[in-house]
Amino acid sequence: MTDAVGSIDMPDAEDEAPESKKKTRKGGKRAKKGPLGRLALFYRQIVAELRKVVWPTRHQLTTYTTVVIIFVVIMISMVTVIDFGFTEAVKYVFG
């Protein structure tokens, strides 16, 4: 017996999906390794990422370091001057 869609005896094509009925394993690679295996995988991933880094040359490194040290010295001196000014102002007002 058939109806407008198709045969009653034959299921529809959308009902037949053997791939979707398969159970997928949770966890992927991490599920089958112990703690030492996961630690080794983590270490290998770190090394792989560090190989992608573009390292500065010695000249660039000294230039960047010098700029940072000069900037820090300037900021320290500014904070020192402002702190000294506030200290003198507080001594004048309350002193």
Side-chain angles (χ1 to χ4, degrees), residues 1-2 7 10-11 25-26 28-29 31 42-43 51-52 55 70 72-73 81 85 89 91 93-94:
M1 179 180 233
T2 62
S7 173
M10 297 293 290
R25 209 167 88 172
K26 294 181 180 178
K29 291 182 180 180
F42 179 68
Y43 178 74
R51 286 189 178 139
K52 296 177 186 177
W55 297 99
I70 290 172
V72 168
V73 167
V81 168
K91 283 182 183 177
V93 171
F94 297 109

Side-chain angles (χ1 to χ4, degrees), residues 73-83:
V73 167
I74 291 172
M75 293 306 294
I76 287 173
S77 62
M78 286 176 56
V79 169
T80 303
V81 168
I82 291 171
D83 183 51

Side-chain angles (χ1 to χ4, degrees), residues 30-90:
R30 291 172 40 191
K32 58 184 170 182
K33 294 184 179 181
L36 291 178
R38 290 195 307 256
L39 188 62
L41 175 65
F42 179 68
Y43 178 74
R44 284 193 304 270
Q45 289 174 345
I46 288 174
V47 171
E49 287 298 320
L50 285 176
R51 286 189 178 139
K52 296 177 186 177
V53 174
V54 178
W55 297 99
T57 63
R58 182 175 295 271
H59 183 270
Q60 289 173 333
L61 188 63
T62 55
T63 303
Y64 297 155
T65 304
T66 305
V67 168
V68 167
I69 289 174
I70 290 172
F71 177 76
V72 168
V73 167
I74 291 172
M75 293 306 294
I76 287 173
S77 62
M78 286 176 56
V79 169
T80 303
V81 168
I82 291 171
D83 183 51
F84 181 72
F86 282 140
T87 302
E88 292 301 317
V90 167

